[in-house]
Amino acid sequence: MDIDKLVARINELARKQKSVGLNEEELAERAKLREIYLGNIRNNFRTQLNTIEIVDNDKHDKGNKGLLH
């Protein structure tokens, strides 16, 4: 399921929860979709952190603590 459809379904379930409530099956679906969504966010964040490189800079000892990124 792509992220747009996933978010749309989560929002649909949230609206229904506010209006008439959810049955047990929908509650389970909502929990599963939320876990998928959070897993996707965690993976994207981890990937972004893995692309960051911190390098010591001998010329700039002060101000930026000698670090470049």
Side-chain angles (χ1 to χ4, degrees), residues 14-46:
R15 281 189 296 274
K16 186 174 180 185
Q17 171 68 29
K18 288 180 182 178
S19 62
V20 295
L22 298 176
N23 62 33
E24 290 298 320
E25 185 177 308
E26 291 167 331
L27 288 171
E29 179 186 3
R30 183 181 69 177
K32 180 181 173 187
L33 294 175
R34 284 179 172 177
E35 281 304 313
I36 292 170
Y37 179 77
L38 289 175
N40 191 9
I41 295 294
R42 288 181 190 113
N43 286 336
N44 288 341
F45 188 66
R46 218 172 271 129

